[in-house]
Amino acid sequence: MLIRGKCHCGNISFSLTWDPDPKEIPARACDCTFCQKHGGVWTSNPRGALEVALEDRSRVSRYAFGTETAEFLVCACCGIVPVVTSRIDDRLYAVVSVNAFENVDSALLKRAPVSFEAEPADTRLARRK
């Protein structure tokens, strides 16, 4: 399955190849203050392939907070955060916002709340891998 997503204005877009086609897509509703304020609900697929496109890099803000182990790509034009990246051991990992999906039946999304607030940095990095 090829999942397409983008911010509201289309400046930040992504394509996520999810193979084989998922019976459900885990959707983690993070309870950190940033995600609460933005409605952050994230997914990833360790066996998938993600391609991110930036139409105008000058209209992309990068935001990191807390442990600064993740970088939120914020569209400076429309304010949407469709992708979060994390560089670990010289490799780039990412999660995408299910709220930015363009072509996915919402019945596939298995939403569940998660809390990473008390998670130690080393455990956090291992999980992101």
Side-chain angles (χ1 to χ4, degrees), residues 1-67:
M1 170 183 228
L2 181 61
I3 298 172
R4 296 188 186 282
K6 63 183 180 179
C7 66
H8 193 254
C9 71
N11 187 48
I12 304 171
S13 61
F14 62 84
S15 299
L16 173 59
T17 303
W18 200 298
D19 193 32
D21 285 357
K23 293 182 176 157
E24 67 181 24
I25 296 172
R28 300 176 296 275
C30 182
D31 73 346
C32 79
T33 56
F34 186 79
C35 289
Q36 282 182 1
K37 290 176 187 274
H38 284 275
V41 183
W42 312 100
T43 196
S44 60
N45 181 349
R47 295 174 306 280
L50 177 65
E51 185 175 316
V52 176
L54 307 176
E55 188 174 296
D56 181 349
R57 290 180 184 272
S58 71
R59 295 186 326 182
V60 177
S61 295
R62 297 171 188 274
Y63 180 67
F65 66 99
T67 61

